Amino acid sequence: MPLKNKFANYIFALLSLLILVESCKKEEYSIPDPVNQLSNDCIKRTLGPNIVSLPIEFAYAMAVPKSKGKLVSAQVEASIAGAAATYLENNSYSTNSSGQDAAVRVGTPSVNDGNKTKVTFNVDTNAATLRYFYVIPEEARGKTVSFIFSATSSDGATVTYNMGPYNISKMDIVRNLKVTSADSSYISIADMTVYNRNNVAANAGKIDLVYLYQPTPATFTHALVSPAADKQYLPGITLPAGVNRNTKIRKVFNLQDYNLARINVGIYIDDRDFQEINLTDAPNYAIGLRAEAGTWVETADGKYRAYIFLNSVNANGSAVISMLRYPLQ
Amino acid sequence: MATIFKVLFLFLLATVAVTSCSKDVPVDEDGLLITERQECYVSNFELVGSDFVTVRPAGTAAAIDTTAQTILVTVLFGTDLKNVYPQFTLANDCKLDPKITGKVDFSDLAPKTYTVISGNRKIKKPYAVTVKYQ
């Protein structure tokens, strides 16, 4: 073997050995330096779309070393003032041995002042996690909202934490409307309410759907039917004058939106679902509905799309429904 | 050392040669495997609505006649036949033409023809699917 080749082989072997040794080297762990000043952190606890009238929940944590003093106050500033029910909890939570949230009172009840919500601590504490419930106001519909969380300590230090921006949905929500086949069965999407025989005449032009229950045929049962549907889907029903809208409706099953169903299923209907769904060839009736079934709806005037969820049904001819509505215009 | 390299090189060469000689697997225009199978029939048929729940009355399966090549399915009162999804179960390695890519409109109640193509792609059997209300 020529000397040059032999030399190259030795170099190659040496390099391989070096790489092998280097790759096996253990990285030493070093203890991180403790934070020695006021610090904070924040998470958003609610998932899904942010709907007007519902809260967005945050958990805001803050701590200061004992040597530096104690916590004095915590504050949240929203870019759009929250609804009156907005508050910052004056309890700090920890998890007890049973895995439950245990509350400890740390301050006075929060005060809303314009865009700001503030809690002043009245106990000597170095660390706290406060929950903030921002109830989305009507003014925020279709806009974005941001938040600045801040905390101050007795040594004069202040820390801030920015959250957002978050899109606020254009959707409206209404829950637990009782409908009965015998009386309260006229549903208005525009008003998001149910009218009964006594007050339907005054609102005839707004009725989009009629709820009815028919025990026979067995496949009929609970139904949401457009007033303009074929008479075979409105058996024995005499509609008041002016109730004649032709609403498109499509049955869905297994779409238990979290906000409507309030069961532990992580499914959310968002603005985009309403924007993208195509109901052009949907029928104007939905029969054979069951509990936890739903229906996509589009009003005859093209103003709204909605999702009506059946929370429960009763064989005596009644049901409890909840509704999400999205304005198209 | 040189001997080792020579052996390695020859081994690699042999591997490449063997791999390149292996026979290509026959696939059709859809990228599906063409097999030796000649079976060509529909073994089960289902029709589901927009809520992906069957539109057949309980206990009544679709009537499949593999000799006459017909399928008759009875659907529930009130079924929205403009928006239904047919589901075929075929014999092994078969495929269907036309493909079902979404909802199908059966509202005219006229028979619709779907052709079953065998695994060897040599046998084609058209099935007429008819829907009627309960």
Side-chain angles (χ1 to χ4, degrees):
Chain A
M1 185 181 285
L3 190 63
K4 203 176 171 185
N5 269 0
K6 208 172 180 181
F7 185 66
N9 282 339
Y10 281 133
I11 293 280
F12 177 73
L14 195 68
L15 270 173
S16 307
L17 199 69
L18 269 174
I19 290 166
L20 201 70
V21 168
E22 193 61 29
S23 64
C24 293
K25 200 174 175 184
K26 197 177 172 186
E27 207 166 287
E28 287 297 324
Y29 173 77
S30 61
I31 298 166
D33 294 329
V35 178
N36 63 353
Q37 59 191 5
L38 177 64
S39 58
N40 62 357
D41 200 353
C42 190
I43 57 165
K44 180 171 176 280
R45 279 169 61 86
T46 42
L47 302 171
N50 305 307
I51 302 171
V52 171
S53 80
L54 296 186
I56 311 177
E57 184 187 347
F58 297 89
Y60 180 52
M62 64 219 89
V64 62
K66 200 174 179 183
S67 59
K68 298 272 183 176
K70 60 181 182 176
L71 294 172
V72 172
S73 66
Q75 177 183 288
V76 190
E77 184 176 355
S79 59
I80 299 172
T86 296
Y87 70 103
L88 181 61
E89 278 224 36
N90 55 338
N91 292 323
S92 181
Y93 287 91
S94 59
T95 309
N96 66 18
S97 55
S98 308
Q100 303 298 314
D101 283 348
V104 179
R105 181 62 50 90
V106 292
T108 54
S110 67
V111 178
N112 290 336
D113 179 16
N115 292 14
K116 294 174 185 170
T117 305
K118 188 174 181 180
V119 161
T120 305
F121 288 89
N122 60 7
V123 295
D124 190 351
T125 185
N126 296 100
T129 299
L130 304 186
R131 291 183 186 172
Y132 175 57
F133 295 84
Y134 175 77
V135 180
I136 302 168
E138 183 59 44
E139 305 89 88
R141 185 186 298 277
K143 298 175 185 166
T144 57
V145 183
S146 306
F147 302 91
I148 303 167
F149 289 80
S150 60
T152 54
S153 57
S154 59
D155 64 347
T158 300
V159 281
T160 59
Y161 201 103
N162 294 321
M163 294 293 280
Y166 302 104
N167 292 323
I168 305 300
S169 166
K170 287 184 178 175
M171 292 188 290
D172 281 296
I173 187 169
V174 64
R175 298 192 274 218
N176 295 344
L177 296 172
K178 182 155 188 192
V179 286
T180 57
S181 191
D183 184 23
S184 303
S185 58
Y186 302 96
I187 300 166
S188 168
I189 306 287
D191 291 353
M192 295 190 83
T193 193
V194 176
Y195 292 105
N196 59 30
R197 282 179 185 168
N198 295 328
N199 55 21
V200 67
N203 300 284
K206 299 179 192 170
I207 304 304
D208 297 294
L209 292 168
V210 178
Y211 164 80
L212 67 155
Y213 176 79
Q214 288 288 318
T216 53
T219 52
F220 201 110
T221 62
H222 302 271
L224 290 172
V225 181
S226 162
D230 193 293
K231 288 295 164 205
Q232 65 177 326
Y233 300 116
L234 290 162
I237 304 280
T238 307
L239 295 170
V243 177
N244 53 16
R245 286 189 153 189
N246 191 13
T247 310
K248 291 189 166 76
I249 182 164
R250 177 178 295 161
K251 273 204 293 187
V252 196
F253 202 65
N254 250 351
L255 181 53
Q256 299 123 312
D257 174 79
Y258 181 85
N259 288 310
L260 299 180
R262 280 157 292 153
I263 52 176
N264 234 353
V265 178
I267 299 173
Y268 294 92
I269 292 173
D270 210 337
D271 289 23
R272 196 171 165 188
D273 296 304
F274 285 112
Q275 289 158 9
E276 292 183 359
I277 193 163
N278 184 354
L279 296 171
T280 44
D281 60 354
N284 54 8
Y285 61 90
I287 66 169
L289 297 172
R290 292 178 273 167
E292 297 193 5
T295 54
W296 292 105
V297 178
E298 186 172 319
T299 58
D301 55 11
K303 276 189 179 173
Y304 299 105
R305 283 188 185 143
Y307 181 74
I308 299 177
F309 181 78
L310 277 81
N311 297 86
S312 64
V313 294
N314 194 318
N316 66 9
S318 66
V320 175
I321 61 170
S322 296
M323 187 193 304
L324 273 173
R325 184 190 70 175
Y326 182 82
L328 294 172
Q329 296 165 9
Chain B
M1 187 72 90
T3 319
I4 293 171
F5 281 126
K6 271 180 191 169
V7 170
L8 265 176
F9 178 73
L10 282 173
F11 181 71
L12 270 172
L13 205 65
T15 312
V16 170
V18 168
T19 312
S20 64
C21 288
S22 69
K23 201 179 168 185
D24 278 340
V25 178
V27 290
D28 65 10
E29 67 280 6
D30 293 322
L32 298 170
L33 198 64
I34 298 172
T35 65
E36 310 274 309
R37 291 181 192 274
Q38 297 181 16
E39 295 90 342
C40 188
Y41 59 89
V42 176
S43 59
N44 193 30
F45 181 82
E46 178 62 285
L47 204 59
V48 297
S50 59
D51 53 0
F52 300 108
V53 176
T54 183
V55 294
R56 288 180 299 102
T60 56
I64 303 169
D65 187 333
T66 52
T67 311
Q69 292 164 209
T70 58
I71 298 170
L72 177 65
V73 59
T74 306
V75 299
L76 293 164
F77 166 75
T79 298
D80 170 27
L81 284 177
K82 276 190 175 177
N83 297 288
V84 284
Y85 298 81
Q87 296 174 345
F88 288 82
T89 307
L90 308 176
N92 280 349
D93 302 341
C94 289
K95 70 172 189 176
L96 199 66
D97 182 45
K99 296 180 187 73
I100 295 166
T101 53
K103 63 188 180 187
V104 177
D105 184 354
F106 276 96
S107 60
D108 57 2
L109 298 176
K112 287 200 174 357
T113 303
Y114 289 90
T115 304
V116 183
I117 304 168
S118 65
N120 62 9
R121 304 292 183 259
K122 288 177 182 166
I123 303 166
K124 295 183 178 182
K125 287 191 177 176
Y127 274 71
V129 180
T130 309
V131 176
K132 68 164 187 173
Y133 277 108
Q134 190 179 17

